[in-house]
Amino acid sequence: MSSVKIECIVQEHCKIGESPLWEEKEHSLLFVDISGKKVYRWHALTKEVESVSVDAPVSSVSLRKSGDYIITRGTQFATLNWKKKSVTTITHIDQDKPNNRFNDGKVDPAGRLVAGTMAEETRPAVLERQQGSLYTLFPDHSVVKHFDKVDISNGLDWSLDHRTFFYIDSLSYSVDAFDYDLQTGKLANRRHVYKMEKEESIPDGMCIDREGKLWVACYNGGRVIRIDPETGKRIQTVKLPVNTTTSCSFGGDDYSELYVTSASQGMDEAKLSQQPQAGGIFKTMSSIKIETVVKEKNRMGECPVWEERQNCLVFVDINSQKVCRWDSNTEEVQCAPLEARVGSVALRKSGGYVVTVGTRFAFLNWEDQSLTTITQLESDKPNNRFNDGKVDPMGRYFAGTMAEETAPGVRARHQGRLYTLFPDCSVVKQLEEVDISNGLDWSLDHRTFFYIDSLAYAVHAFDYDVHTGKIDRSSCRPVYKLEKEEAMPDGMSIDTEGKLWVACIDGGRVIRVDPETGTKWSRTITSCCFGGKDYSEMYVTSATDGLDKAALAKEPNAGEIFKITGLGVKGIPQQYFTG
């Protein structure tokens, strides 16, 4: 999935590129080459690169409120006057350790500079252990040492509420957190928040995004990973064309661009020929855009279906008992009210729609909004209703039932079934003892049926006979088990690469799953489908039911319909019911 564009913007072949920093007033990116003993400034508008040489390894650069910059050079805190290309020492630390130097540093939310030291390397990541310390330089130029016995003092940043300090000592292969007192700059209560996987290699520089997630550059791992410090889970990986990624920071006009530095030191000619951009500076840009297209609040928006012939998105609001149609040209929404809960809607080849209402299959004539019952099911289960449904590649309509809740989150278990409505309007029961019949779709070769029973917290697959429309129950196998933070699986759709997109109700996300490997690619999100002229847009429904006033205040967009563009993949056209 190509949702991230990567571009090498500076090909200076830094020995150890580090400390990228966006300078908004200059519309420029600052960075350093530690071993090259230079501070650089790349101008985003002109693409020009300027540099200032210093007389010792320079490991970090930060903005100074009074103008120009503050740097860590050797074992000194110092100021840098860019115009005069002059350096003035503020203070000198670690004087008892002549083989030490500063490494990464960053300014805290109160304007203090926090930076750490390490012993010089004999080769990358090889050095005398536990020689470093972490320091804070205060605005009055006093210095406090927080702790020592550090191997490689590296990435650092603060939580959005400024109460937590995140820190990396690279050879611990972890990201740590401390309680942080913003008033005093003091640290306490160190603990691990993320342990690196083997393929991620050595954690290096780090930054935080506006959602409070951490981005960690992986030296010798050729990637930047996004982690959730609350759950200790990795949630995204961005691979770079070089192995020696060193640090990262956000910048650009709206801080949506991630800048990544890299190194070339320690690479022989063979490796450099394989990675000619090593030591370069990269810009990664997410092309994903999310916008609201239907602002009317749906109590339980569900079952989005793109209708190409009308250039419209059709969807249902289960609990408001209506089918809705959003016109992408006029952006108007029309609704057809029904007399019972409507679980799903599908396109009908002869015109209008086929819907599941209560426990009925029915035809909906959009022009006069009349409803014609095809068949009534489950008369023995008066508390049941239909939920999600979809048409298979041969024009049959699949839809499943579930028991209604008797109280929030409480329902009779194993009451649902999965049915198929054939074009001749006959009905076959495919599965039973279902809890919440939900997302469903078919593989690109039509030989596999994917299905979600929500309370199983998994996506399952069945062998499928597309000629007869029969599911082989004995072939049922799980293809993906949801993680705790993904919550409950709901609606689902497939893209042109054969990957599944699963809406996670109460998880506030849509995840992309590879059904072959069972791996994942990545509040009240309910379902999703592809649409638009080339099926490159994803439409996502959501709900307001179940949210109290406090939750609604926090999630003002709940119940709206969203459009996501820039995913880098396309869906397939919706099938029509042929009956």
Side-chain angles (χ1 to χ4, degrees):
M1 182 177 67
S2 56
S3 60
V4 176
K5 178 183 177 182
I6 299 172
E7 174 187 0
C8 186
I9 58 169
V10 182
Q11 301 190 36
E12 288 292 319
H13 296 291
C14 295
K15 293 180 180 179
I16 307 177
E18 262 284 5
S19 189
L21 175 67
W22 184 256
E23 186 175 15
E24 193 170 322
K25 66 179 182 181
E26 296 289 339
H27 202 72
S28 298
L29 183 77
L30 297 163
F31 60 95
V32 304
D33 183 347
I34 298 176
S35 300
K37 302 177 183 178
K38 287 183 179 181
V39 180
Y40 287 90
R41 188 162 71 183
W42 172 76
H43 294 269
L45 299 178
T46 65
K47 314 302 180 188
E48 294 178 344
V49 180
E50 300 175 287
S51 66
V52 173
S53 296
V54 297
D55 59 2
V58 55
S59 60
S60 70
V61 58
S62 301
L63 306 178
R64 195 179 181 200
K65 192 171 186 179
S66 58
D68 285 316
Y69 311 110
I70 187 164
I71 60 174
T72 49
R73 176 192 62 165
T75 52
Q76 298 175 10
F77 288 108
T79 59
L80 169 63
N81 185 305
W82 191 265
K83 289 183 179 179
K84 296 180 179 180
K85 301 186 184 299
S86 62
V87 175
T88 304
T89 298
I90 296 173
T91 190
H92 195 166
I93 52 88
D94 278 5
Q95 296 187 55
D96 59 328
K97 295 182 178 180
N99 193 45
N100 270 19
R101 68 165 172 84
F102 267 113
N103 200 40
D104 209 353
K106 191 171 288 183
V107 174
D108 84 346
R112 314 174 188 97
L113 176 59
V114 181
T117 57
M118 58 181 280
E120 279 283 13
E121 298 165 301
T122 55
R123 61 180 187 273
V126 178
L127 71 168
E128 187 177 359
R129 302 285 298 268
Q130 299 190 342
Q131 297 302 300
S133 302
L134 184 70
Y135 297 91
T136 293
L137 174 68
F138 284 74
D140 64 1
H141 294 179
S142 62
V143 175
V144 168
K145 182 167 78 171
H146 296 287
F147 50 82
D148 54 15
K149 295 185 178 181
V150 174
D151 286 322
I152 301 177
S153 188
N154 232 317
L156 60 173
D157 218 323
W158 289 262
S159 62
L160 302 185
D161 64 6
H162 308 157
R163 295 179 179 179
T164 305
F165 171 63
F166 299 107
Y167 177 68
I168 291 171
D169 180 353
S170 291
L171 297 189
S172 71
Y173 293 88
S174 74
V175 179
D176 291 353
F178 296 79
D179 294 340
Y180 194 69
D181 187 330
L182 188 62
Q183 301 300 317
T184 64
K186 289 183 179 180
L187 309 176
N189 188 26
R190 186 172 188 168
R191 64 270 188 193
H192 295 308
V193 297
Y194 183 77
K195 291 293 290 184
M196 304 292 283
E197 301 288 340
K198 184 178 179 180
E199 71 274 10
E200 293 163 355
S201 199
I202 302 171
D204 204 316
M206 174 171 61
C207 66
I208 197 164
D209 64 28
R210 65 186 64 184
E211 294 181 6
K213 307 300 187 287
L214 297 170
W215 293 79
V216 180
C218 301
Y219 186 84
N220 281 345
R223 67 195 68 191
V224 180
I225 59 172
R226 187 180 188 229
I227 64 174
D228 186 337
E230 295 297 318
T231 64
K233 300 285 187 180
R234 180 185 65 215
I235 52 181
Q236 189 173 351
T237 299
V238 178
K239 292 189 177 181
L240 279 293
V242 295
N243 284 338
T244 50
T245 47
T246 54
S247 192
C248 54
S249 73
F250 286 94
D253 290 337
D254 58 357
Y255 288 84
S256 63
E257 300 166 348
L258 184 69
Y259 291 90
V260 183
T261 51
S262 68
S264 62
Q265 187 163 293
M267 300 178 70
D268 57 24
E269 289 186 8
K271 287 184 178 179
L272 286 171
S273 66
Q274 293 172 355
Q275 299 180 41
Q277 294 177 316
I281 313 300
F282 299 87
K283 178 173 71 173
T284 76
M285 299 173 290
S286 173
S287 56
I288 294 175
K289 178 183 178 183
I290 303 174
E291 61 180 305
T292 298
V293 294
V294 179
K295 293 186 177 181
E296 288 85 348
K297 304 295 185 182
N298 291 280
R299 292 181 58 192
M300 186 60 69
E302 257 287 3
C303 196
V305 179
W306 183 258
E307 186 173 14
E308 190 172 324
R309 61 191 176 190
Q310 298 288 342
N311 205 22
C312 291
L313 183 76
V314 184
F315 59 96
V316 306
D317 185 340
I318 297 175
N319 292 346
S320 293
Q321 303 178 191
K322 60 186 180 182
V323 178
C324 302
R325 191 165 75 180
W326 171 75
D327 189 317
S328 65
N329 296 317
T330 65
E331 298 188 350
E332 293 180 347
V333 179
Q334 296 177 303
C335 296
L338 303 178
E339 73 273 17
R341 289 186 175 183
V342 52
S344 64
V345 58
L347 310 178
R348 190 182 181 197
K349 194 170 185 179
S350 59
Y353 307 106
V354 57
V355 295
T356 52
V357 183
T359 52
R360 289 180 289 160
F361 283 108
F363 292 130
L364 172 63
N365 184 313
W366 190 257
E367 299 305 320
D368 62 13
Q369 298 193 352
S370 61
L371 197 68
T372 303
T373 296
I374 302 169
T375 186
Q376 173 81 52
L377 300 169
E378 300 197 353
S379 57
D380 59 323
K381 295 188 176 184
N383 197 43
N384 271 18
R385 69 165 174 85
F386 268 111
N387 201 41
D388 208 355
K390 190 170 290 183
V391 175
D392 85 343
M394 296 299 289
R396 312 174 187 98
Y397 189 26
F398 281 63
T401 58
M402 58 181 278
E404 285 282 19
E405 291 182 328
T406 54
V410 178
R411 61 168 47 83
R413 300 288 299 270
H414 310 309
Q415 298 302 301
R417 295 164 180 156
L418 179 69
Y419 298 93
T420 300
L421 175 67
F422 284 74
D424 63 1
C425 294
S426 62
V427 175
V428 169
K429 181 175 66 178
Q430 302 271 13
L431 301 171
E432 54 189 346
E433 294 189 357
V434 174
D435 282 319
I436 302 177
S437 187
N438 235 316
L440 60 172
D441 219 322
W442 288 262
S443 61
L444 301 186
D445 64 5
H446 308 157
R447 294 178 178 179
T448 306
F449 171 65
F450 299 108
Y451 180 63
I452 291 172
D453 180 353
S454 291
L455 295 188
Y457 294 90
V459 180
H460 284 84
F462 297 80
D463 293 342
Y464 186 68
D465 188 330
V466 74
H467 301 292
T468 64
K470 289 186 178 180
I471 296 168
D472 182 356
R473 300 183 192 183
S474 66
S475 66
C476 179
R477 67 267 185 195
V479 296
Y480 183 74
K481 293 287 290 183
L482 272 81
E483 303 286 343
K484 183 178 179 181
E485 69 273 10
E486 292 163 355
M488 186 187 296
D490 203 317
M492 175 171 59
S493 63
I494 197 165
D495 63 32
T496 52
E497 295 179 7
K499 306 300 187 291
L500 298 169
W501 293 79
V502 181
C504 301
I505 190 166
D506 293 332
R509 65 195 72 191
V510 180
I511 59 173
R512 188 181 191 228
V513 172
D514 186 337
E516 295 298 318
T517 64
T519 55
K520 176 182 61 184
W521 292 60
S522 112
R523 290 303 205 210
T524 49
I525 301 299
T526 55
S527 194
C528 56
C529 77
F530 285 93
K533 293 180 180 178
D534 59 356
Y535 288 86
S536 63
E537 301 166 348
M538 175 171 279
Y539 291 89
V540 181
T541 52
S542 67
T544 58
D545 274 14
L547 299 178
D548 58 21
K549 288 184 178 179
L552 286 169
K554 292 179 181 179
E555 301 177 30
N557 299 112
E560 296 176 354
I561 312 298
F562 305 93
K563 179 174 74 174
I564 306 176
T565 53
L567 290 168
V569 293
K570 296 180 181 180
I572 56 178
Q574 307 293 319
Q575 300 295 327
Y576 287 83
F577 179 66
T578 53

